[in-house]
Amino acid sequence: MTDDLAAALRQFAARIAALDPPGSAAVVEVTVGGTPVELTGSAARALCEALLSYHDPRDRGACDHCGSRRLDDNFLCADCRQPSGVFGQLIRERAARYDGPPPAVGGQP
């Protein structure tokens, strides 16, 4: 994993540094698993922008009930087990109107 990260960071830094004027010096050194990677000022700024704009696809917001950020694909909170958002509201409204199964007709279950 650290080798992949170091390689990706080196490739990122090289792509950005290729656009810098010749002789641009590295201003930041990041060490990944013992491997140093040098970043020019523009590469460091680009990395900051990339990190700040990243959105984790697993992030579905905060739970309406407990504030946890661990909502599953169905917007069910892994911490309080309550459904969240519009989906949760629909489930609660439907559950409030539920009167149970219909009565048996003619004495049959």
Side-chain angles (χ1 to χ4, degrees):
M1 176 68 167
T2 58
D3 291 340
D4 293 342
L5 177 57
L9 194 52
R10 273 194 307 278
Q11 291 171 6
F12 176 83
R15 281 195 322 268
I16 304 300
L19 304 173
D20 288 340
S24 294
V27 296
V28 176
E29 182 177 282
V30 178
T31 302
V32 180
T35 304
V37 179
E38 294 184 345
L39 304 174
T40 61
S42 58
R45 280 190 297 281
L47 180 59
C48 286
E49 287 180 30
L51 292 172
L52 291 171
S53 66
Y54 176 75
H55 175 79
D56 191 317
R58 299 171 299 166
D59 184 357
R60 295 171 188 87
C63 174
D64 294 338
H65 301 280
C66 70
S68 167
R69 300 198 60 84
R70 297 183 340 122
L71 299 175
D72 68 12
D73 290 339
N74 296 314
F75 295 96
L76 185 67
C77 180
D79 294 325
C80 72
R81 304 305 300 163
Q82 293 293 314
S84 191
V86 174
F87 171 73
Q89 180 180 348
L90 291 172
I91 295 292
R92 283 187 294 280
E93 288 173 3
R94 182 80 178 232
R97 291 192 309 263
Y98 183 68
D99 293 329
V105 179
Q108 295 183 5

